[in-house]
Amino acid sequence: MHAALQGSKTARGNRRERAAWWLAGLFLSALVALALPGEQIRLGAAELRGLVGSYLYSQPLILSAPTNARVTEIYLPKTVKVEWDDPMTNQEPTEWEYHVTRTDTVTQATTVYETTDKFWVDSFAFVYGRQYTYSVQSVPYSNPNSQLPSPPPGADPNDIATVYHESDPTAIEMTPMQAEAAYNQTVDSRYDLRYGNPTFLDFQFKDRSYLGGLFVGYANDPSRVGRSYLQFSLSSLPSGKYLWAGSVNITHTRSFGNGSVTVGCQPVDDAWNGSLLKWSTAPTLDPGDPTETITVSYNGTPTPAWHRWTMGNAIGGAILGDGLLSLGLASTSENSSGWAYFAKKEFDADLSPRVLYAYGGTQGVASVTVAPTSLTGGGSATGTVTLLSAAPSGGTTITLTALNLTVPNDPAPASLPSTVTVPAGATSATFQITTSSVSAATQVRIDAERVTGDVESAVLTVNP
């Protein structure tokens, strides 16, 4: 009985103590919200009891913008892979993620993806010849410390939380293109066994499309090798653009028997005609030394599927050269049984061999600067926006905005024009910034954004 009574008193005491701590924490968090100076209140993790963490103040830090954004792959079914680097870390981010925005420059439709990887694989029904913009931005996770006041002079660094702010976007443009095969033909080294002395057949397959029409491999009947050849005519790139990535795509329709066949792809001589091609006139190739390989598998059920060779260098060489890209396909082992069929354009135009490539370039804003970078409220500063290259005829219009980094929900104590135009032939333009008085030092981010979504920023500090 005594022990039970003592236990009841102890439990009530614990409840009172927890309630007292809760009320104390609530009171202390209210004091923090009132932004009392550090010399009037000193709080640590124990006193705050986890209500607002162990910090009294917060200071902003703009995340570094992702760098080296690029398109690294384009292939069928319609897919684009975008990659980038992060100058802040060589590891995956822990306090921020990446937002990838794709914009259709014709419809202005935008799609936003979120990822912690430094790449995004984007499968969508892109339109060949249409320009798309990819914008990559580092965006912090929600941080309750952002509601804390700015630190006063001499504040203990241990009491100051770093509150990340989203980075500038890094933008690139990308235009997907395709080229269907001008020629797609197969050759066969078979002998015609209907004759007593096996006779070299040297057959011209022309528009025949049995089981797909293209084939590669080796068949022991008694000895036969199949190879296929593709030729594409590629258009030159527009002035000022460059090749991002490219691939050669082909549809595997089925194989002669179950199992896998490894098929290599390599550039060959352009001097051949698909309608006249046969084994004895086919361009030479080395089956053991392909540029790229794929492995196709078959389990007895015909299921047409796209496969690709990444051939960016060969595609780029053809675009910069005579525009012709000729390729030879062969099994990497022409003395081991394995026979794979692929679709030619005479078999199915939608499944025919084709080259996909993407070209583009970075957007036009190189930098924005302000001078001076720190001033007293009420003073003026000059901003300068600089482009990567000279503005075209009619000039380039840049959108300007100001953001209060110190108190994100408050208006920025800085006024500036909504746009500035870089004149035709020029690479830069200036604009004026007028500030208003402040009670505490305030950081203002000045954003210069091109209509295509490229943003560069500078920070101006406005002092009391």
Side-chain angles (χ1 to χ4, degrees):
M1 177 73 175
H2 177 75
L5 181 60
Q6 182 66 33
S8 175
K9 289 180 179 179
T10 301
R12 285 197 299 273
N14 289 339
R15 285 196 294 272
R16 291 192 192 98
E17 182 181 354
R18 286 196 297 271
W21 275 117
W22 183 84
L23 289 173
L26 186 62
F27 174 71
L28 292 174
S29 64
L31 290 180
V32 172
L34 292 173
L36 293 179
E39 58 270 16
Q40 291 183 4
I41 178 171
R42 303 296 301 169
L43 301 180
E47 288 79 9
L48 288 174
R49 286 289 183 179
L51 292 175
V52 293
S54 59
Y55 300 107
L56 295 178
Y57 316 106
S58 67
Q59 62 183 7
L61 176 64
I62 301 175
L63 291 168
S64 295
T67 59
N68 194 26
R70 62 227 183 251
V71 175
T72 56
E73 290 189 69
I74 181 170
Y75 54 88
L76 291 172
K78 291 182 175 180
T79 301
V80 174
K81 184 177 182 180
V82 181
E83 298 186 53
W84 56 89
D85 300 325
D86 188 339
M88 294 194 67
T89 177
N90 291 322
Q91 300 178 350
E92 300 305 322
T94 57
E95 297 187 63
W96 64 90
E97 62 185 2
Y98 306 106
H99 288 190
V100 184
T101 303
R102 173 186 13 101
T103 302
D104 184 320
T105 60
V106 174
T107 66
Q108 297 304 310
T110 61
T111 305
V112 181
Y113 307 99
E114 299 175 1
T115 180
T116 56
D117 296 317
K118 298 183 184 70
F119 66 87
W120 185 256
V121 178
D122 192 13
S123 298
F124 70 106
F126 51 71
V127 178
Y128 295 115
R130 178 175 295 183
Q131 179 178 298
Y132 299 86
T133 297
Y134 282 98
S135 175
V136 187
Q137 187 175 26
S138 298
V139 178
Y141 296 123
S142 176
N143 187 340
N145 290 316
S146 62
Q147 303 303 316
L148 296 177
S150 300
D156 186 341
N158 293 322
D159 290 337
I160 304 173
T162 298
V163 177
Y164 292 108
H165 289 261
E166 63 187 32
S167 74
D168 295 334
T170 296
I172 58 173
E173 63 183 40
M174 183 278 300
T175 300
M177 301 292 290
Q178 76 156 343
E180 297 181 356
Y183 291 130
N184 57 165
Q185 195 53 271
T186 198
V187 297
D188 192 334
S189 68
R190 80 179 76 191
Y191 285 86
D192 192 332
L193 302 182
R194 292 172 299 177
Y195 299 91
N197 243 347
T199 302
F200 191 51
L201 190 60
D202 211 17
F203 188 74
Q204 292 182 7
F205 285 87
K206 297 187 178 180
D207 60 356
R208 286 169 173 77
S209 57
Y210 174 69
L211 297 183
L214 300 177
F215 52 76
V216 300
Y218 170 83
N220 187 17
D221 61 352
S223 178
R224 152 186 169 199
V225 172
R227 296 174 181 173
S228 290
Y229 293 86
L230 311 174
Q231 188 173 94
F232 304 88
S233 179
L234 306 180
S235 301
S236 59
L237 302 184
S239 176
K241 305 299 181 181
Y242 52 84
L243 184 71
W244 281 122
S247 64
V248 177
N249 298 262
I250 196 167
T251 304
H252 175 229
T253 57
R254 60 174 295 155
S255 295
F256 179 75
N258 292 354
S260 299
V261 179
T262 299
V263 182
C265 176
Q266 58 190 277
V268 296
D269 188 83
D270 293 330
W272 55 278
N273 184 307
S275 61
L276 302 177
L277 196 68
K278 54 185 179 180
W279 182 267
S280 62
T281 61
T284 58
L285 57 77
D286 183 354
D289 188 27
T291 304
E292 297 281 346
T293 64
I294 60 172
T295 298
V296 296
S297 300
Y298 185 66
N299 62 6
T301 302
T303 307
W306 286 104
H307 293 266
R308 69 185 185 276
W309 294 276
T310 301
M311 301 287 289
N313 289 339
I315 293 170
I319 290 174
L320 295 175
D322 61 5
L324 289 181
L325 175 65
S326 294
L327 303 167
L329 314 180
S331 168
T332 56
S333 179
E334 291 188 333
N335 54 13
S336 298
S337 293
W339 197 270
Y341 293 94
F342 299 91
K344 64 192 299 188
K345 61 183 181 180
E346 291 84 359
F347 174 78
D348 188 329
D350 292 334
L351 301 179
S352 64
R354 61 198 65 198
V355 166
L356 261 65
Y357 60 99
Y359 68 78
T362 55
Q363 298 298 301
V365 180
S367 67
V368 60
T369 59
V370 294
T373 58
S374 180
L375 48 69
T376 301
S380 297
T382 299
T384 302
V385 61
T386 302
L387 304 180
L388 286 169
S389 57
S393 176
T396 297
T397 299
I398 305 297
T399 300
L400 303 173
T401 54
L403 173 68
N404 189 326
L405 291 179
T406 303
V407 187
N409 293 326
D410 287 358
S415 298
L416 62 162
S418 59
T419 63
V420 62
T421 299
V422 180
T427 58
S428 65
T430 61
F431 57 92
Q432 292 302 116
I433 305 168
T434 302
T435 64
S436 54
S437 59
V438 294
S439 58
T442 303
Q443 287 188 313
V444 178
R445 188 174 78 188
I446 308 298
D447 289 344
E449 180 178 11
R450 191 181 172 191
V451 293
T452 48
D454 181 42
V455 179
E456 293 295 331
S457 300
V459 176
L460 172 67
T461 301
V462 182
N463 299 300

